Amino acid sequence: LASVTATNITLSDGQTLVYDYLVLATGARNKLPSNLLSSSIAEAQDEATRLFDAVARAQSILIVGGGAVGVEIAGEIGHAYPDKSVTLVHSAPRLLPPNFKPGIGDGAATKLKRLGVAVHLNEKVNIPPGTTFDCTVRPLTLYGATGREYTSDLQILATGTQLHTEYMETLESALGTSLRDERGAIKVNEYLQLDLPQFANVFVPGDVNNQPAGAKYAFKAAEQAANVAQNLIASIKAPETGRPAVLKPWDGSVANMILVPIGKTMGVFQGMGMALGNSWWGDVMARNLKGKDYFLSQTEKDFPPRK
C-alpha cells in the first residue's frame, strides 16, 4: 500500500483501487530475527537457517532491547549455548513493558542471569547512522550512553515494532491535518473508525491504530477484527433498511497479561490476578503454556499453510 485518499488507494505497483469501505490492517514489522524478510516459504526457511547458523558461529552476542522479544531471544540463546557470552541491554530501569508489575521484570532479569546472560539496565546504546542489523557475524563495538563499551560478534536489535502507516501522508496533506499520533499510529474513534466524521467508512483494527499497548496482543487484534467486521456488515446493510447503521463500540479492554519463556525451563507470567516473576510457578506457566513451541502449533491451526 503506497497511499490513501478519500476515495481510493494506490498500491506500490501503481495500481489504483476505488473503495466504498476500507479496512486498514497493515500491521507492524518487527526487526530480524523476530521477523523474516522473505516473501516465500522456501526463502524464509533459507533465511532462518542462516540466522541459526549465525547464532551458532558467534561467540559473543549483543541484544539491544529488553521487551518480551529481547528477553525471549536472550533466554533461548543463553539456554542453548551456555558457553557463549550473551549481553542484553535495555534503556529502562526494568525489563519488559512498564505496564506490568515490577516483579515480572525483576524476575526476568534474575532468571536470565541464571543462564549466564549479562543484563544492563538504564542504558541506551548509541547506534551510528547506517549501522545494519541483519544478523551477520562481524566484530562490532557499540557504546552506551554511560560510556560502557559493548563488543560482540553478533548484534540483534529488539527495540520494538515499526508501524506501516506512511501511506497516510497523502491523505494528511490533502486534509491539512495529522491523522496519526507521534508514534505513527492511526487515530481512531470508539468504533475503530478513522477519527474524522467524514471517514466513517474507514476502519482501522490491530497494530496500526492508536489503542494502548495492552490492546496489541494477537487475541486482542482478533477481537478488534471481529468488531470491525460486525460494524462493516451493519454499515453495508443500513441503506437497505433505510435507517442509520447501529454500530458496536470497541470495548477498549486491554490485556495486562504477559507470558515470557526464558530458555526451556524458566519464565515469568502475569495474568488472572497473579504476578509470577521470581516464583517457580512462573517457570511452570511459561514452560507449559508457551515455551514448548511459542504457540506455533496453534498458529498453524488458525492459519493452515497452503498446499
Side-chain angles (χ1 to χ4, degrees):
L1 183 58
S3 66
V4 175
T5 71
T7 58
N8 60 69
I9 63 171
T10 301
L11 305 182
S12 56
D13 63 2
Q15 183 180 6
T16 297
L17 303 175
V18 177
Y19 67 84
D20 293 316
Y21 293 91
L22 177 64
V23 178
L24 295 173
T26 48
R29 179 182 289 270
N30 282 306
K31 302 173 179 66
L32 282 170
S34 304
N35 185 77
L36 299 178
L37 303 179
S38 305
S39 57
S40 72
I41 293 176
E43 291 174 351
Q45 289 172 333
D46 289 341
E47 188 176 3
T49 299
R50 291 195 299 272
L51 294 174
F52 295 147
D53 179 64
V55 172
R57 289 190 291 117
Q59 291 303 308
S60 56
I61 300 170
L62 172 66
I63 301 162
V64 181
V69 172
V71 169
E72 288 174 347
I73 292 173
E76 290 293 327
I77 296 175
H79 181 96
Y81 299 101
D83 295 331
K84 293 185 186 294
S85 171
V86 181
T87 301
L88 175 64
V89 183
H90 189 46
S91 59
R94 188 175 292 115
L95 294 177
L96 302 177
N99 55 305
F100 297 104
K101 294 184 178 180
I104 300 299
D106 295 340
T110 297
K111 292 176 180 180
L112 282 173
K113 291 173 183 176
R114 290 178 191 168
L115 292 175
V117 176
V119 178
H120 297 280
L121 303 174
N122 285 312
E123 175 78 296
K124 183 175 178 62
V125 176
N126 296 317
I127 300 174
T131 303
T132 58
F133 291 84
D134 56 1
C135 288
T136 298
V137 177
R138 45 125 190 239
L140 180 67
T141 298
L142 297 173
Y143 296 89
T146 62
R148 188 189 298 269
E149 182 179 293
Y150 299 97
T151 300
S152 59
D153 300 327
L154 178 64
Q155 305 79 37
I156 296 174
L157 198 59
T159 53
T161 58
Q162 179 181 354
L163 299 179
H164 177 37
T165 62
E166 63 277 4
Y167 51 79
M168 297 297 292
E169 293 176 1
T170 302
L171 187 56
E172 289 174 328
S173 296
L175 296 173
T177 186
S178 176
L179 303 175
R180 295 172 291 169
D181 65 15
E182 64 280 357
R183 298 181 301 109
I186 300 172
K187 300 173 186 176
V188 296
N189 63 17
E190 67 269 32
Y191 303 106
L192 300 180
Q193 296 165 310
L194 187 61
D195 196 20
L196 281 177
Q198 64 267 43
F199 289 98
N201 60 332
V202 179
F203 295 86
V204 189
D207 281 342
V208 291
N209 68 37
N210 66 333
Q211 292 289 303
K216 301 301 182 181
Y217 292 87
F219 74 95
K220 281 295 177 184
E223 291 176 5
Q224 290 186 30
N227 180 267
V228 164
Q230 179 178 334
N231 287 339
L232 192 57
I233 292 170
S235 299
I236 293 171
K237 289 184 174 181
E240 300 174 4
T241 66
R243 296 189 298 271
V246 178
L247 303 185
K248 179 182 178 182
W250 164 246
D251 63 13
S253 63
V254 297
N256 286 316
M257 181 178 72
I258 194 167
L259 185 63
V260 182
I262 299 173
K264 296 301 183 186
T265 60
M266 295 185 291
V268 296
F269 169 77
Q270 178 176 314
M272 300 182 293
M274 298 182 291
L276 307 174
N278 285 303
S279 166
W280 64 271
W281 274 109
D283 300 337
V284 172
M285 298 290 281
R287 181 172 64 242
N288 292 317
L289 295 180
K290 184 178 179 182
K292 293 179 179 179
D293 65 356
Y294 284 79
F295 302 136
L296 180 60
S297 56
Q298 184 60 49
T299 301
E300 190 173 19
K301 292 178 182 177
D302 294 338
F303 303 98
R306 289 177 293 179
K307 303 297 185 183

